[in-house]
Structure formats: C-alpha cells, structure tokens
Amino acid sequence: MKLLQLLVHLLTSAAMMAFAFTDEEILDQINDLHDSEAYLEKSVLNDDMSYQAKAAAITSSVLKDDDTIEEKHVTNFYVLACIYHATNEVSNSEIELPSPWYNATSWLREKDYCRWLGITCHNEDEIECSDISDAASLFMTDLTDTDDRVLGICLSDNDMTGHWPAETGLLGGYLSLLAVDYNYHLVALPPYDWFSSMTGLKQLYAGASSWDAPGIPTALNRLTKLEYFDVAYSFWSEGPIRGEAFAGLDNLKYIDIGDNFYDWMGDEASTVPDEFITLPNLIRLYMDNVIFVEPTTFDQYNMTLGFLERMDTLVEAWFDRTRLVGTLPTLPVSLKSLSLMGCGIWGNLNEIRRGDARLNRLWLNGNQLTGTLPPNLGGRMSCSHDLPCRLHLEGNQFTGPVPPALCNRYFQIENNIGQFEVLAGDTEQCEDSCCTCTGFECGFFDELSGYPVFPPKPVPAPSPAGFGLCFSGATLVETQNRGSLRMDQLDIGDYVLSDTSGKYEAVYSFGHKSREISAEFLQITTEGSHVPLEISPDHMIVTEDGRFIPASKVKTGDRLLTSSMHEQVVPVTSIKAVTGKGIYAPFTASGTIVVNGILASNYIAYQGSESYTTIAGIPLLSYQWAAHTFNSVHRLAVLLGVGGETYTESGVSRWVEKPHQWTMWLLEQPSIVSMFLLFVCLVITGLARLVEMVVINITSTVAGLLMILIMSRYYQNNQQKKKSVGGEEAMVQFI
C-alpha cells in the first residue's frame, strides 16, 4: 500500500512538473480572481498606473515558465505584490510626500514570497510578529517544502502609506495574523467587505494607523475566529462602539480601542453595548484615553465603571485618562491588573476591601478618592516574590498613613520574600513609611482640573494644540539653580541641562507654551526610568549613534542618549500614545535639551523623516541642522535685546508660527522650486548665523578684555599700595 501511495505521489509530482504557466495564463488567473469576489474591481487591471496592474505585471514576470508554480502561488504572490505597490511610497489624504518602506528585504525580488521580510508560511498553532523576520526563512528551503500559504503578515512600523488593498481578502481562510500597526499614514477605508473572506484571521493589529471607519464597523463580526484586536489611536473612531460588530466574536481575548473618540448614545447601556460587555473569553481590555462625545452637539460625556462588574473573565483592564464618574465598582474576581490613572473617580476603597478580587497591579493615582486606606488593603492583593505587586495611590485625597500591614509585606524584600515592587502615595500617607516614591516624583499622572459630576454632564472639548513642537507639562528638566523642575514650572532665563557633558544653557524662548491645552504625545519609557518621557511624535530625539530622529520613528529596543554618568545610552522598553496636559518647547542656544534624562532636540522634523531631502540615498540636509540654522535670526534678535515673546491662542510662539507655515508651504512645492527657495533661505539665515557667532565672540572678547582690565587695574593698585607701605616703613626706620 505504501509503495502504491509513493508511486501515485511521484506520478502526480511529475505531471505537475511538466506544466508551467505562461505569461497570459497568469494574467488570466488574476482576472479570474477579480471576477470571483464582489469587493474587487476588474477594470483596474486595465489601468497601467493602478497598483493592481503593477502587481499583475510583476507576478507574471517572476512566476511564468516555472513548472513548480501552482495557482495558489500565483494568488499569494499577486496579493503581496498588491500590498507592496499600494502602500510603498504612495500618497494619500494623510501624507503628500511619502517615504519608501523602511525595510523591503526580498520583496518582489524572488519568487519565494515565504522568504520576504514580514511574511511567514511556517505552520504553527499561533503566530507572533517576533517570529516573522529574516530568520523566518530558515524554516523552509523553497515553496514546495511547505503548504505555501501565507499565514502571517507583520509589517508594523514600516512607514507604509497609501491605502491597504482589499485584495488581501484573496488570502482567504489561511491568513492568521495581520499586523500593520504604527504605520501612522497607512489608510484603509470602509466598508471592509473583504473581511468576509478572512475566516481564518485570529490577530488584527491596526493601531496607530489611519485605518478609517465611523466607530467600530459591523464588518468586524465577519472575522469569526478573531482573538486579538487592536485599533487604538486610529480612525476607527468618531462613531459608536457597535454591538453588532462584536456579535459572535466569542474567541476574542484581547481588545485595545484606546486613544479614540466614540459616540455617546444617550445612556451607558447603549454606549458600551451588551455584545461587547459579555464577550465570553475576553481577558485583556484597554480603553485608556477614550472620549465619549454626543454626535450632534459634540459635547463630551463621562462614564461610570458599572459595566466592569459584568465582565467576569477579565484579567487586565486599563482606562487611564478616560474621564469617568462615580466610585469603584465591585471588581470581577478574575481581575489581576486594573489601571485608572487620572480618570476622576471618587469615593473610598471599600469595594476593594469587600470584594473577592485579588489584584496584583493597581493604579489609582490622580483621582479624587478619599477616606483612610483600609487596614487589610494589602491582604486584598495577590503578591509574591516572583510576581510582586504594584500599588499606586498618589494624587488623591486619602487621610492617614499607609497601613502597617502593607509596609510589612514590602519590607520582606530584604529577606528575598518581598511582595511589593512599587508602593506609591502622597507625602501625607508616606511620611515615615515604606513608600518607594511620593506624589509627582512617581511620574504617572498629570494634575487634574475640577471635579467630575454625576449624572453625566457635558464638558467642553479640549482646545486645539496646533502642530507638534512640544513636551507635556509633566516632563522633567534639570536646572542649574532650581534643581529638577516640571516643564510647566520652567521660565525664560532658567539655565537647563542641555547636553550629555553637563553643560547648562539659558532658555531664551519657548516655541510652544500653554498650561491649559492638552495634546497627543508618545509616552516613551526607557529601562530603569521612573518617569516616562511624553513627547510629540514629530519632535526629534537623539539616538545612540547621534542621529536626530522624530519620536514617531523610535521603536522598542532602540537605544537613546542620556545625561547619566553611569549609563550613556538606555534601551526603550515601551512606547504608548497618550494625551497629556500642557504643551512646552523650550529653546536653548545649542538646540538641544535633556528631558527626563534623555537628550532631545528643540525642534521637530517634517515628513516623518530626519532629513529634508536625499540624493542617491544620501541625506543632504538634516532637519536638526536646518531648524537650528533658520532659528539663528531669532537667537540673534534675543542677543540684541529685540526678541519679544508673544504667543498665539494655541500657545505657538510668533517667532515660530510664520516660519512653520512657510516650511509647510515649501514642502508642497515642486522639487526644483523647493530647492531654490531653500538655498535662498539658507544664504539669508547663514548670514544671520555668522553675525550671531560674531556677536557671541565679540561679547566673549569684550568680557575677557574687561576681566583683564579689571585684573590689571587691581594689580596696579596693589603694587602702588605696596610701594606706599614700603615708603612709610623706610621713613619710620630713618626716624
């Protein structure tokens, strides 16, 4: 029997080897693919400039006359070629001058798409993005060694633009993982009919992108095997959280819909629907920095956390900076990690004391909680030496000290059986106790303004923050005479640490300054840091090799320059999009400043790039150099005493507003016009830079001459005094 099976296999293989697709046959198959799905247009294949026509051409060129190629290979190659041509250096409504992909290793250059960067055909029960890299190709030798089906696409943070292609649906029920998050300018548009073909998709990561839909679209429920779902900080926003979208998604374990706007539907039950609350296998829920808005009046509404009581499978739930009202609800027994930083809840901790939940991590900082801390609070937390607890209570209105029982569990660390990693509170609770930090030094909350009210009442929407040239008000700087200060405490004239050598420079201006305005920031946490850096995505930061790159291009694992004498560089451990209060951009003479121990620029980059333009891949003009040169006019005016400081309603310095508008206009011009105007501008600002250096040198020279003159005068007076004293002594001796 085995011999017969082997013979059949050999005969089948021989028959397949004897057949090879011609160019015309491959193009016919691609036409048939477009005929087979209603969500695909066939006419686009006749447009030579369409990404579909380009993808069809490269598919036929690479795969024709190869007798190892089957129909599934043509389909998979064509779909991936569509992705490449639709999203690589393609403009859209979000970006006019896109850059190429960061990394396109092997894409379209060889027929074996399983070896392309970000693609896996390796058959495992659960695929992760960490598995998809150049190393993924080690699992196979050629297409015929595997099932040849594309199981995972992981192109996160690859500077993709354009529009995500509906042709992805042709991968059918085989694709298990689709990760395109942190491609900020990558657009996808409804109605997402292609989801109906994605019956095998388990993981969808489209957060921090421009995927667009009015809220959570109903089409989501077509992904019937979905387990992981992330559209945080995307355009799946400004609409309702539709219950129908989650109907039947019983496999969902992970949801991240934070940093978005959703419709207030008149009451809480309609705003957070039952289909969402009763998902039977949901383990992790992230709804941090969510704003609920009435869709006709645009008034904001605050929610209670009552729905959390019914989510009895949750292990972790984070709602940081989502404006809430009311007290803590009874927590699900399964819950181990709860974060409510800066939400505005009130009341006491009785529900935690009385409930059956045993938390391991609890962030309650920055709220309006009152009363004393329950004596048995530590006993309501599940801690061990292997999995120590974190408890943040700072920024509330508690009375009385931290209970001794909590301190006892913390101090056991000395005996290697300690059970608390962090125990944070305010000075009133932590004086003479075991807190690891107090108040704002813990670094996890912003100041709250006003008290929430109940029943829900509309609150005004935040003012626009203008363009992103800023740090948040909670950012820390080191001053020469006033020690460590929050950015919102810094003034013009303060001397701040500005480089890694320990040099301090005066703040001569603020490019952006407003205490009241809130803005979107990237919260970058580095290894060993207690206070994460909150920086606007376009603001530049300095990497290990001395390059100034936009914060949006920093990735987990990147190493940043620090001011520490012990660690010159530190790795980035996490990056998260947040909304912070206060926007500040201090300027120094060198164009750099140390913030939260990290070296950063005073300036922003444009076009999501560190350089203005390149030729043959060589950067000609860095934004750091250009911005510092252009700003020489401002610095020179300050040196000459004519640099008055005024700001727009959105907190932008008048010295910055017009140059920014001019730069945005310049970037929209044809290349030859742009380069000519840039050259003229460089000549003018270069002269200003030269005058600035002369003034600085003259000032230094005059100061030096004055010092020499003073010392010389002092020496002459001293010599005359000595002669006078010597004459008097001689006269005394003579007498």
Side-chain angles (χ1 to χ4, degrees):
M1 177 62 74
K2 291 184 177 179
L3 183 61
L4 180 61
Q5 290 176 341
L6 179 61
L7 182 61
V8 170
H9 177 73
L10 290 174
L11 290 172
T12 303
S13 300
M16 291 175 60
M17 293 288 286
F19 177 79
F21 288 115
T22 65
D23 184 79
E24 292 77 12
E25 288 171 330
I26 290 175
L27 294 177
D28 286 343
Q29 181 184 334
I30 292 173
N31 272 280
D32 291 342
L33 290 174
H34 277 257
D35 278 338
S36 67
E37 300 292 349
Y39 54 80
L40 297 181
E41 296 181 44
K42 187 174 182 179
S43 61
V44 294
L45 293 170
N46 299 322
D47 179 1
D48 291 341
M49 298 305 296
S50 70
Y51 70 80
Q52 294 94 337
K54 294 176 182 177
I58 189 67
T59 302
S60 62
S61 173
V62 173
L63 300 186
K64 68 180 180 180
D65 301 329
D66 188 332
D67 55 14
T68 66
I69 297 301
E70 303 173 39
E71 287 188 359
K72 62 183 177 181
H73 301 141
V74 174
T75 299
N76 292 342
F77 194 106
Y78 171 67
V79 171
L80 296 179
C82 282
I83 292 173
Y84 180 86
H85 284 294
T87 66
N88 186 16
E89 203 171 1
V90 179
S91 62
N92 55 31
S93 58
E94 299 301 315
I95 186 169
E96 295 184 9
L97 297 171
S99 302
W101 284 8
Y102 281 148
N103 197 332
T105 301
S106 298
W107 275 73
L108 307 185
R109 297 174 187 168
E110 58 174 287
K111 69 178 181 180
D112 189 353
Y113 47 79
C114 294
R115 297 179 183 273
W116 298 357
L117 182 80
I119 303 301
T120 187
C121 306
H122 182 50
N123 189 14
E124 291 210 354
D125 292 336
E126 186 167 314
I127 304 169
E128 298 181 359
C129 275
S130 57
D131 299 329
I132 304 176
S133 63
D134 288 319
S137 62
L138 298 176
F139 292 117
M140 64 227 32
T141 55
D142 59 53
L143 285 172
T144 58
D145 285 342
T146 71
D147 188 45
D148 314 339
R149 302 290 186 179
V150 176
L151 305 180
I153 298 175
C154 188
L155 294 169
S156 304
D157 195 15
N158 202 37
D159 208 15
M160 303 175 80
T161 55
H163 291 78
W164 186 260
E167 284 76 11
T168 309
L170 295 172
L171 296 177
Y174 292 93
L175 188 67
S176 174
L177 166 66
L178 177 57
V180 292
D181 48 330
Y182 291 98
N183 290 289
Y184 294 98
H185 300 122
L186 175 63
V187 173
L189 297 174
Y192 297 99
D193 291 338
W194 55 278
F195 278 9
S196 60
S197 299
M198 309 301 295
T199 55
L201 194 66
K202 295 181 179 180
Q203 303 177 61
L204 174 59
Y205 302 100
S209 75
S210 295
W211 277 40
D212 202 350
I216 307 297
T218 303
L220 183 70
N221 65 20
R222 299 171 185 172
L223 305 177
T224 54
K225 291 187 178 180
L226 195 62
E227 297 179 7
Y228 299 87
F229 173 56
D230 174 13
V231 287
Y233 195 53
S234 73
F235 289 150
W236 277 32
S237 183
E238 299 184 31
I241 301 174
R242 293 179 175 84
E244 302 95 321
F246 296 93
L249 298 186
D250 293 345
N251 297 314
L252 265 178
K253 303 175 184 177
Y254 174 108
I255 295 177
D256 189 350
I257 56 173
D259 293 290
N260 287 326
F261 289 76
Y262 294 111
D263 284 354
W264 172 260
M265 303 301 292
D267 57 60
E268 294 190 5
S270 301
T271 302
V272 184
D274 273 354
E275 295 90 339
F276 182 86
I277 295 172
T278 58
L279 288 167
N281 290 296
L282 187 61
I283 296 174
R284 290 181 169 83
L285 172 63
Y286 304 99
M287 290 181 65
D288 43 320
N289 198 35
V290 168
I291 298 176
F292 294 100
V293 179
E294 205 287 325
T296 56
T297 65
F298 303 106
D299 293 328
Q300 293 182 25
Y301 284 82
N302 300 332
M303 292 278 293
T304 71
L305 271 177
F307 65 87
L308 193 61
E309 298 181 9
R310 299 170 55 200
M311 304 186 78
D312 53 13
T313 61
L314 279 183
V315 173
E316 183 164 77
W318 290 6
F319 300 92
D320 303 336
R321 294 184 176 88
T322 295
R323 298 300 294 169
L324 302 170
V325 290
T327 61
L328 281 169
T330 300
L331 302 178
V333 175
S334 58
L335 198 63
K336 298 298 180 185
S337 173
L338 176 63
S339 190
L340 296 168
M341 293 191 292
C343 292
I345 57 173
W346 63 69
N348 52 42
L349 301 185
N350 287 338
E351 292 302 324
I352 291 180
R353 182 181 65 185
R354 289 196 294 261
D356 293 326
R358 294 292 185 271
L359 296 167
N360 175 261
R361 297 185 293 171
L362 178 60
W363 289 267
L364 294 174
N365 36 316
N367 287 291
Q368 307 294 341
L369 295 168
T370 57
T372 59
L373 301 178
N376 67 337
L377 179 59
R380 312 308 292 178
M381 302 193 71
S382 175
C383 312
S384 67
H385 181 66
D386 294 330
L387 192 62
C389 285
R390 297 182 68 102
L391 177 59
H392 285 268
L393 302 169
E394 69 273 23
N396 287 287
Q397 300 171 20
F398 293 120
T399 58
V402 171
L406 278 178
C407 286
N408 291 340
R409 297 189 74 176
Y410 170 74
F411 281 127
Q412 292 176 11
I413 286 178
E414 299 296 329
N415 300 318
N416 286 330
I417 55 173
Q419 296 175 327
F420 269 88
E421 177 185 8
V422 175
L423 180 55
D426 291 322
T427 305
E428 292 78 3
Q429 287 81 56
C430 293
E431 191 173 2
D432 300 324
S433 77
C434 55
C435 293
T436 57
C437 62
T438 59
F440 281 106
E441 72 180 37
C442 301
F444 286 100
F445 66 92
D446 296 326
E447 293 181 86
L448 300 175
S449 56
Y451 289 81
V453 295
F454 189 83
K457 179 181 178 181
V459 296
S463 303
F467 61 94
L469 176 69
C470 49
F471 306 100
S472 76
T475 305
L476 298 177
V477 293
E478 189 67 30
T479 65
Q480 192 168 31
N481 299 320
R482 300 170 62 195
S484 181
L485 295 179
R486 285 168 54 96
M487 193 68 76
D488 53 18
Q489 299 171 318
L490 193 64
D491 296 318
I492 291 177
D494 283 335
Y495 277 74
V496 295
L497 187 62
S498 62
D499 67 12
T500 57
S501 67
K503 181 174 69 175
Y504 288 84
E505 292 182 306
V507 174
Y508 70 84
S509 177
F510 282 89
H512 222 152
K513 185 177 184 181
S514 174
R515 178 181 291 272
E516 301 303 324
I517 291 177
S518 296
E520 293 179 346
F521 298 97
L522 294 179
Q523 189 179 80
I524 299 177
T525 304
T526 54
E527 187 175 280
S529 67
H530 296 292
V531 184
L533 171 62
E534 293 183 351
I535 183 173
S536 58
D538 291 333
H539 206 114
M540 289 186 288
I541 200 165
V542 188
T543 60
E544 179 181 19
D545 55 2
R547 292 185 301 120
F548 290 80
I549 66 172
S552 61
K553 300 305 181 188
V554 176
K555 301 183 291 295
T556 301
D558 285 352
R559 295 163 67 85
L560 305 179
L561 284 183
T562 78
S563 61
S564 171
M565 297 298 292
H566 305 289
E567 298 288 343
Q568 294 300 315
V569 294
V570 290
V572 175
T573 56
S574 70
I575 304 173
K576 184 179 180 181
V578 301
T579 296
K581 188 176 181 183
I583 48 176
Y584 299 87
F587 286 172
T588 63
S590 63
T592 58
I593 187 171
V594 174
V595 285
N596 289 36
I598 304 297
L599 184 63
S601 170
N602 291 172
Y603 314 115
I604 63 171
Y606 293 84
Q607 303 170 296
S609 169
E610 63 185 281
S611 58
Y612 172 71
T613 187
T614 61
I615 292 180
I618 302 173
L620 299 181
L621 188 63
S622 76
Y623 277 119
Q624 174 66 18
W625 184 88
H628 196 59
T629 300
F630 291 173
N631 216 35
S632 59
V633 176
H634 186 186
R635 292 193 302 273
L636 180 60
V638 172
L639 282 174
L640 299 177
V642 294
E645 195 81 357
T646 59
Y647 304 94
T648 67
E649 289 184 2
S650 58
V652 180
S653 169
R654 301 290 184 186
W655 285 98
V656 172
E657 180 191 25
K658 295 302 180 184
H660 170 71
Q661 294 173 353
W662 182 85
T663 302
M664 295 300 294
W665 175 84
L666 180 69
L667 294 176
E668 296 174 355
Q669 307 311 306
S671 297
I672 188 168
V673 175
S674 177
M675 293 302 293
F676 172 75
L677 293 176
L678 185 65
F679 174 76
V680 173
C681 188
L682 283 174
V683 171
I684 296 171
T685 54
L687 290 174
R689 175 66 173 147
L690 182 62
V691 174
E692 177 194 8
M693 295 173 65
V694 170
V695 170
I696 292 173
N697 290 332
I698 289 175
T699 303
S700 301
T701 303
V702 170
L705 290 174
L706 286 174
M707 182 60 68
I708 293 172
L709 183 62
I710 292 171
M711 293 300 295
S712 175
R713 185 65 177 168
Y714 173 80
Y715 177 78
Q716 291 176 359
N717 290 339
N718 194 42
Q719 290 297 109
Q720 291 177 358
K721 184 176 180 181
K722 286 182 178 180
K723 290 179 180 179
S724 176
V725 171
E728 291 176 358
E729 289 178 351
M731 182 65 71
V732 170
Q733 291 177 358
F734 174 77
I735 294 172

